[in-house]
Amino acid sequence: MGQIIDGVGLAQKVKQEVKLRVQEHRQRGKPVYLVAVMVGGSPAGEIFAQRQADTCAAVGIDYQLLKLGRESAHEEVQQTISKLNHDPTVSGIMLHLPLPGHLNATELQYHIDPEKDVEGVNPANIGHVVYGKTLIAPFTAQACIELIKATGVELRGAEVTVVGASQIVGRPIALLLTEQMATVTICHIATRDLKLHTRRADIVVAAAGVPGLITAQHVKSGAVVIDVGINRVKAADGTNKTVGDVDFDSVAPLASFITPVPGGVGPMTVAMLLQNSLRCADLLQAKTIGSGADRSLE
Ligand code: NAD
């Protein structure tokens, strides 16, 4: 039976470290301050934002949810972002998704100052990852790297297959893995023979959003399996439950290490958002005092 990677415990450790550093910022009179912009919103989005506010409060990060009307035009949202970019008290900005249909998320994210971009979604930040000079990495991708590193498995030279090639999850994960000198294969909906690629991998990262896609037939013995998927499905008793992209019961006996869902990538992703918020505050501070410190993460 594979060892379960404890995302909750690892996330807790990160949060404690972040909390200490956040206190230092507050003591210097420059609290870490994250502003989340929500356009329109929904009951589920409001619950998510409240959870985010609570998580930030737990580590001492000031959090404000800035709500704009559902009909807000692109220019209005852009102006709001621009104001936040120029507000010296705001250290981090994020844009809640999904946006109403008339707005384009990528275009708006493009306007977030890369140094305040806690989600690491501005094209400049993706570009920095490509150049191996990560400033702020997309946090789900970062969470996967941290979870793999926690196993102690060597990434250099490892065969890694990433299932899923989305802009915010699969592709950034593949980029960060490449930066760690892994040999990376990216699979997606058009991949002809998924098993061919996953079965030869030392590490499988499943990020397709398809419940139970990865079964025992897809994984070689001793592989590390990271399950990014969060899928709501009906259980046999008719209740709703959250499952990943990996068929945990059949894959766990084969794997050397495996993340559970829930309790794996999810909590670590939240911890990485907090870490990125701290990172943005560090960058703001360096800018304010004109520090010439090395700004890349590596
Ligand atoms: P997406 O729908 O944008 O992208 C899915 C990707 O998977 C695409 O590249 C698609 O081609 C590929 N794919 C779909 N079906 C496939 C199949 N049968 N075989 C191979 N590839 C297939 O989804 P996303 O935003 O990248 O999210 C992926 C999953 O990760 C979702 O379940 C999402 O909820 C979850 N997620 C989890 C976290 C977290 O913190 N754990 C964060 C973000 C997303």
Side-chain angles (χ1 to χ4, degrees):
M1 181 76 173
Q3 214 171 307
I4 292 180
I5 307 172
D6 176 14
V8 176
L10 288 165
Q12 199 51 36
K13 244 177 97 185
V14 173
K15 285 182 194 172
Q16 276 160 6
E17 286 160 13
V18 168
K19 191 172 178 177
L20 289 175
R21 294 276 341 280
V22 165
Q23 271 168 11
E24 288 171 19
H25 277 275
R26 192 173 290 282
Q27 280 157 6
R28 275 194 295 266
K30 297 272 180 201
V32 181
Y33 179 24
L34 170 61
V35 179
V37 178
M38 182 183 273
V39 187
S42 63
E46 304 258 345
I47 293 171
F48 181 71
Q50 186 53 52
R51 281 206 201 120
Q52 210 165 46
D54 296 343
T55 309
C56 285
V59 296
I61 293 177
D62 291 345
Y63 177 92
Q64 190 200 345
L65 179 65
L66 196 61
K67 286 200 253 178
L68 301 179
R70 175 164 297 278
E71 305 306 324
S72 304
H74 175 94
E75 291 68 28
E76 191 182 341
V77 186
Q78 190 182 317
Q79 272 167 21
T80 302
I81 290 171
S82 178
K83 265 192 208 151
L84 296 170
N85 284 341
H86 292 102
D87 183 338
T89 68
V90 174
S91 52
I93 304 167
M94 65 169 288
L95 187 62
H96 273 286
L97 301 183
L99 294 169
H102 65 284
L103 296 174
N104 181 314
T106 313
E107 276 179 26
L108 287 166
Q109 284 163 337
Y110 183 80
H111 288 285
I112 298 175
D113 179 344
E115 297 194 359
K116 292 190 177 187
D117 172 29
V118 294
E119 297 182 278
V121 288
N122 183 299
N125 279 326
I126 304 288
H128 287 306
V129 177
V130 173
Y131 288 115
K133 291 269 173 210
T134 304
L135 192 67
I136 310 283
F139 50 69
T140 304
Q142 226 176 316
C144 292
I145 300 290
E146 293 300 324
L147 290 165
I148 296 169
K149 283 187 174 170
T151 67
V153 168
E154 176 77 87
L155 266 170
R156 188 182 175 86
E159 292 273 350
V160 187
T161 296
V162 179
V163 184
S166 72
Q167 288 164 12
I168 57 156
V169 184
R171 287 186 218 189
I173 291 172
L175 283 173
L176 290 184
L177 287 165
T178 307
E179 190 53 31
Q180 297 291 322
M181 305 302 284
T183 301
V184 186
T185 303
I186 309 179
C187 299
H188 43 70
I189 194 71
T191 298
R192 280 198 216 113
D193 186 351
L194 184 62
K195 277 190 207 121
L196 178 79
H197 303 286
T198 54
R199 279 187 70 85
R200 65 155 197 261
D202 305 310
I203 302 169
V204 176
V205 180
V210 180
L213 176 68
I214 304 300
T215 67
Q217 293 180 0
H218 292 81
V219 177
K220 77 174 179 189
S221 179
V224 174
V225 180
I226 305 293
D227 191 352
V228 185
I230 299 179
N231 309 294
R232 293 290 284 167
V233 296
K234 278 250 181 286
D237 63 3
T239 56
N240 287 326
K241 66 170 185 170
T242 303
V243 299
D245 287 358
V246 176
D247 175 24
F248 187 88
D249 292 342
S250 76
V251 174
L254 272 175
S256 56
F257 292 91
I258 184 165
T259 56
V261 177
V265 177
M268 201 56 178
T269 296
V270 174
M272 291 299 112
L273 171 67
L274 299 174
Q275 196 174 68
N276 278 0
S277 300
L278 172 64
R279 169 91 180 131
C280 287
D282 286 345
L283 289 169
L284 185 64
Q285 188 199 350
K287 193 190 252 175
T288 313
I289 62 175
S291 156
D294 182 11
R295 296 150 65 73
S296 69
L297 278 176
E298 267 68 44

